[in-house]
Amino acid sequence: MPILGLAPELYPTKPAHFDIERVIRPNILALHPYRCARDDYSEGILLDANENALGHSIPPASVATLEPELQPTLSLDLHRYPSPTHDPIKQRLIALRGVPGPEYVFLGVGSDEVIDLLIRVCVAPGKEKILITPPTYGMYSVCAQVNDVGVVKVPLELGAEAGEGGERGRFSLKVDEVKKAVSADPSIKLIFLCSPGNPTGTLIPLSSLRQILEYENFKGIVIVDEAYIDFADEEASAVSLVKEYANLCVTQTLSKSFGLAAIRLGIAFAHPALVQILMNTKAPYNISTPTASLALSALSDSAIGLMKDKVATLAKGRNYLLHGLANLAPLGLGSVIGGNSANFVVVPVLAKDGSGKPDNERAHKIYKTLAESEGVVVRYRGSEPGCAGCLRITIGSEEENNIVLQKFEELLKTL
């Protein structure tokens, strides 16, 4: 069954073992998408969408009560439905990430909408499954449960005998185990990988990704979640593989490096065939006008330059925090684990008896005391595989980094 809206010359041909029409659920392939008013016309006297022609009703006196950064949004055409495609944003994204054209780009309400939509279009409820690699981002499992699809877990390498990350170190992808899992269970339609990982901060080498993408026994799609990619080396992104592999989807976001978590803009880079499926299935106006306006500004050349400057500053802060935490080792703080390729670090709290073993109870006490008595909120990750006793600390400002180190030192002495 053909993909509605996809030009014949855009049908995928690589890799040879991948047939997107066998991955997408038949009811989705047969779907005739909702055609919204702005798909047809967006200029002139617009009386086609039952909008309020008189505009919004926020009185001028109320403008002063809004946050200063929100006030300019009232000058936008808020009484009109937004663009269903937001092509100017896509044009700036293809220039930033080096993909061939806008047909390779999909925009969602944060990466979470993209994750959920991929599951809905590919995985049959009650019958089929996704594969995840714990420890990893929790929303993969949440979306799977919401959509009544199964979850197969293939843990990352949890031992540190080969160091951190890479192809064999701690939190590396166990490629052979993933291959065994998908060979044993053909109902696995999607593989969710996180690079840099959350909570691991570890990159998945492109060589490992290629092995999965080229594995003929897996007929589904590999999703690489790159929410933190701008904090890693420029060559680390799997976006460079999208043109080569139609069975790859790379998700990114403006929430992390761009500092725009509140506007909820996520991105999927994928073959045009998959992007067309997502476009056919999404809500007609999923990206709001205020979000689109801010995103377009954030993707200007000057804003991208400022973003890169801030990423460099946060990288310096990460090194400063790593050094400061290492100095707390005599008080029972272990060495930071993971790849440190994100805007956070993960550190184990050790037992106070000097045994050198991670201590979940002590870590949780420090976590609770920091939040409830000291006004410093970090994340307890001790229940994640391979993260016993661990706390995840986001890189803050210089002042915040100094405070968290000071509070850690005080609490490690008393708890």
Side-chain angles (χ1 to χ4, degrees):
M1 185 180 296
I3 296 172
L4 206 64
L6 184 69
E9 65 270 16
L10 291 179
Y11 269 77
T13 58
K14 297 182 294 184
H17 68 273
F18 177 69
D19 182 355
I20 191 167
E21 292 183 21
R22 299 178 71 88
V23 178
I24 306 302
R25 293 168 57 192
N27 60 306
I28 300 297
L29 281 174
L31 176 69
H32 284 262
Y34 177 81
R35 187 161 186 84
C36 62
R38 294 301 153 257
D39 282 324
D40 297 320
Y41 304 103
S42 59
E43 296 179 351
I45 297 175
L46 300 174
L47 302 176
D48 59 343
N50 301 335
E51 299 154 327
N52 187 333
L54 302 183
H56 67 73
S57 300
I58 301 174
S62 298
V63 174
T65 66
L66 293 175
E67 296 291 335
E69 59 267 26
L70 294 180
Q71 293 177 13
T73 63
L74 294 182
S75 64
L76 301 171
D77 287 334
L78 299 182
H79 64 304
R80 300 295 184 192
Y81 286 112
S83 164
T85 59
H86 297 289
D87 291 330
I89 295 175
K90 293 180 180 180
Q91 288 294 339
R92 291 189 177 181
L93 283 168
I94 66 175
L96 176 65
R97 301 307 192 195
V99 292
E103 65 273 16
Y104 283 80
V105 184
F106 175 80
L107 303 178
V109 183
S111 298
D112 293 337
E113 184 192 22
V114 179
I115 293 165
D116 181 69
L117 197 54
L118 285 164
I119 291 175
R120 285 196 284 139
V121 303
C122 295
V123 191
K127 297 179 181 179
E128 295 174 331
K129 303 168 187 172
I130 67 169
L131 183 148
I132 65 172
T133 57
T136 193
Y137 182 43
M139 280 303 294
Y140 311 142
S141 293
V142 170
C143 290
Q145 186 168 353
V146 167
N147 288 287
D148 190 26
V149 305
V151 178
V152 174
K153 299 179 181 180
V154 178
L156 299 173
E157 174 58 56
L158 302 182
E161 292 80 6
E164 301 287 348
E167 293 187 351
R168 301 292 177 185
R170 177 161 35 197
F171 299 138
S172 60
L173 181 65
K174 299 174 78 171
V175 173
D176 290 341
E177 294 301 315
V178 172
K179 288 181 177 179
K180 287 179 185 177
V182 296
S183 294
D185 191 345
S187 70
I188 296 172
K189 299 288 286 292
L190 302 176
I191 297 174
F192 282 94
L193 305 174
C194 201
S195 178
N198 177 13
T200 68
T202 301
L203 284 164
I204 298 174
L206 297 186
S207 57
S208 296
L209 293 177
R210 285 183 181 275
Q211 291 183 62
I212 303 297
L213 292 166
E214 294 172 1
Y215 187 53
E216 295 185 358
N217 285 358
F218 179 58
K219 309 298 185 182
I221 295 171
V222 178
I223 297 99
V224 181
D225 185 342
E226 291 189 345
Y228 301 94
I229 195 63
D230 288 317
F231 299 98
D233 294 336
E234 289 187 14
E235 301 80 17
S237 176
V239 170
S240 62
L241 305 180
V242 164
K243 188 178 179 181
E244 188 176 350
Y245 295 97
N247 56 343
L248 171 65
C249 177
V250 180
T251 64
Q252 295 184 1
T253 178
L254 298 192
S255 295
K256 307 300 181 181
S257 59
F258 285 88
L260 289 171
I263 76 169
R264 310 307 301 130
L265 189 93
I267 306 132
F269 296 101
H271 188 278
L274 180 57
V275 170
Q276 186 64 58
I277 289 289
L278 297 175
M279 290 295 293
N280 291 352
T281 313
K282 75 174 182 69
Y285 306 109
N286 61 330
I287 306 300
S288 74
T289 295
T291 288
S293 177
L294 290 166
L296 192 62
S297 295
L299 292 166
S300 67
D301 289 343
S302 59
I304 289 171
L306 184 57
M307 177 272 285
K308 291 180 178 180
D309 289 343
K310 290 187 175 183
V311 166
T313 299
L314 289 169
K316 291 178 182 177
R318 181 175 62 199
N319 291 335
Y320 178 80
L321 196 59
L322 289 170
H323 179 75
L325 292 170
N327 289 336
L328 300 179
L331 299 177
L333 201 62
S335 298
V336 167
I337 65 173
N340 300 320
S341 292
N343 67 334
F344 57 82
V345 297
V346 178
V347 62
V349 176
L350 308 181
K352 205 167 184 178
D353 62 10
S355 64
K357 295 181 179 179
D359 188 332
N360 271 352
E361 183 178 353
R362 189 182 184 206
H364 199 265
K365 282 182 180 178
I366 290 174
Y367 156 70
K368 294 284 283 185
T369 305
L370 279 170
E372 297 174 6
S373 301
E374 304 295 340
V376 176
V377 183
V378 298
R379 196 78 180 266
Y380 175 73
R381 299 281 77 178
S383 59
E384 298 283 342
C387 298
C390 281
L391 300 176
R392 192 190 70 194
I393 309 167
T394 303
I395 310 304
S397 65
E398 182 178 354
E399 179 184 7
E400 290 169 334
N401 292 338
N402 282 320
I403 290 173
V404 78
L405 289 171
Q406 175 192 337
K407 298 300 182 183
F408 257 81
E409 182 176 7
E410 293 172 2
L411 293 182
L412 284 167
K413 289 178 178 178
T414 58
L415 295 179

